[in-house]
Structures are given as C-alpha cells and as structure tokens.
Amino acid sequence: LPDPSDPMLLASVTLTGPLGDEDDPAALYPAVRTRHTSRYPFAETEIPVSVRTALVDAADQEHVSLSFASGWHLQSVLDLVREGEARNLTDAGAAADLDRFTRRADDTRPATEGVPEYAFGPRRRIGKAPMRDFAGGKSIPGRPTADFETSPHLALLSTSRDRPVDWLRTGQAVERVLLRATLEGLAASFVTQALEWHDLRWPLRDPMAGMAYVQMVLRL
C-alpha cells in the first residue's frame, strides 16, 4: 500500500537479489497447481502437531495469527456460522448474491462465470461441519447427500487491528497456509458465513487471545 492516495494500489515490486532461505517461497510452488477447495466431507483424523505448527508459522510469516478453535470456542464459532448461514438463506440481498456467483446446469451465462452446479458438493445429511449450501436450499435433481464431520478442524486467521494492510496481509497469509496445507496432504474449504455479518464477526474471536479481528476461517 505505497500510495495513500490510491488505495487500490496494493504494492510496488522491485526485482533485487535472491531471498534468504527462510523467506524463499519456492518450496510452496509445487502446490500452486494442485491446491483447490473441497466441499466434501473430511476425515476427522487429528492433524499432527508438526503440521499445525507449520500452518501457524506460514501465517506468522505474513504477520497474521493462526489458531485452531477447540472446546467452547469451537462450539461458539459453529453456532455463529450456522446463524450466518440461516441469515444468508432468508436475506434477499444475500440470495441475489448467491444467484450471481453460482451457475445452474441450465445457466445461459458464459461457462467461465460462477461456481458450477457440479462443484456445489453434496448436501449435508448429518454432522457439524459448517458447509455453505450453494444451492440456496433449493433442490437439485441427482445431488447426493453425505455425512460430514461431527468435530471439524477450524483454523482462524486473525489480526490485532482491522486496517486495509491487515486485510492484505491476511490474503497473503491465506495463500501461504493453503499451499502449505496442500503440501502436508490436507484438504481445505472456506467458512465465511459469519464473517459476512458485522454483528457476528466480533464474537468469532477467542477472548483469551490477543487477536481482536478474525479475518478468515478455514475448515481443514
């Protein structure tokens, strides 16, 4: 954000010498082509401590805190996400947004626009994994159902302040975390329902931590 008069200019880049070993992102490159979002059930296998540490370190390189929700905090986050999802299904503006960024099988828009129907994933039959229903509650012929996680792994990326630079750093941290997660054999999806409602975003935070603003929630 080098020019205060131009908030859309995110960065100016100058080629210099090689990066030091600790800063060189080359190790993440193999994951660029293979990383993708999954809207299917995940295994409930415990994520090894070494992998959790690697993800925390990846976010920390971009000055963002990553923490795994657990216990009462996990339940609170799940409740807030469900509230956000319920609002999205009943709010006219949210429903219109959903129609714009998804495409049904009979959609006449160019095929490059919107999340296609085949990528919606199955409907949740049981489980507590916070899955967005890209069908907006509408029935899709032939769409399967599936059992999702009862205790999902949710990672929260947070910052101590809520400025444009914090949003930018979070975007960079999400990139690093998702690429590292891919290399570690993890699947991932975004959990943004509660973040889309101003009054639900604030209580997402863990009050025992020093990070006041949750910027992104990932399901791993």
Side-chain angles (χ1 to χ4, degrees):
L1 303 171
D3 185 355
S5 67
D6 185 2
M8 297 303 290
L9 177 61
L10 301 184
S12 295
V13 180
T14 302
L15 293 177
T16 59
L19 294 170
D21 290 342
E22 291 185 1
D23 296 322
D24 192 344
L28 300 175
Y29 183 73
V32 171
R33 293 181 64 86
T34 57
R35 192 211 72 76
H36 63 277
T37 300
S38 174
R39 301 186 181 95
Y40 284 80
F42 293 170
E44 296 198 53
T45 309
E46 186 63 27
I47 298 175
V49 173
S50 60
V51 175
R52 291 177 178 244
T53 300
L55 300 182
V56 170
D57 290 345
D60 186 64
Q61 282 187 267
E62 303 295 348
H63 309 287
V64 173
S65 172
L66 183 147
S67 61
F68 286 86
S70 62
W72 67 266
H73 184 219
L74 174 59
Q75 186 57 53
S76 176
V77 171
L78 291 172
D79 290 342
L80 291 165
V81 172
R82 277 194 291 269
E83 172 64 20
E85 181 75 9
R87 293 187 189 184
N88 286 341
L89 292 175
T90 56
D91 181 83
D97 281 344
L98 186 66
D99 285 338
R100 279 193 292 271
F101 71 77
T102 57
R103 67 178 284 112
R104 303 299 176 87
D106 57 355
D107 202 311
T108 59
R109 291 177 296 174
T112 54
E113 296 183 7
V115 178
E117 189 176 280
Y118 67 78
F120 286 5
R123 289 179 60 248
R124 180 177 57 200
R125 182 168 47 225
I126 60 172
K128 295 184 178 181
M131 299 303 300
R132 182 188 295 276
D133 185 2
F134 280 88
K138 300 174 184 176
S139 176
I140 297 179
R143 186 185 183 192
T145 59
D147 298 342
F148 283 78
E149 308 97 279
T150 56
S151 183
H153 297 300
L154 299 185
L156 281 63
L157 287 93
S158 308
T159 55
S160 60
R161 300 176 68 181
D162 196 29
R163 306 160 298 172
V165 68
D166 299 302
W167 310 336
L168 178 58
R169 286 173 175 166
T170 300
Q172 295 178 166
V174 168
E175 286 185 278
R176 280 190 181 270
V177 168
L178 290 178
L179 292 175
R180 174 53 61 188
T182 299
L183 292 177
E184 299 288 353
L186 298 181
S189 65
F190 295 98
V191 183
T192 62
Q193 296 92 317
L195 295 169
E196 295 159 16
W197 297 90
H198 181 73
D199 62 317
L200 299 182
R201 182 186 172 208
W202 174 250
L204 279 174
R205 77 198 191 287
D206 181 352
M208 301 300 290
M211 296 292 107
Y213 300 95
V214 175
Q215 304 288 356
M216 180 54 68
V217 181
L218 299 176
R219 167 177 162 256
L220 299 168

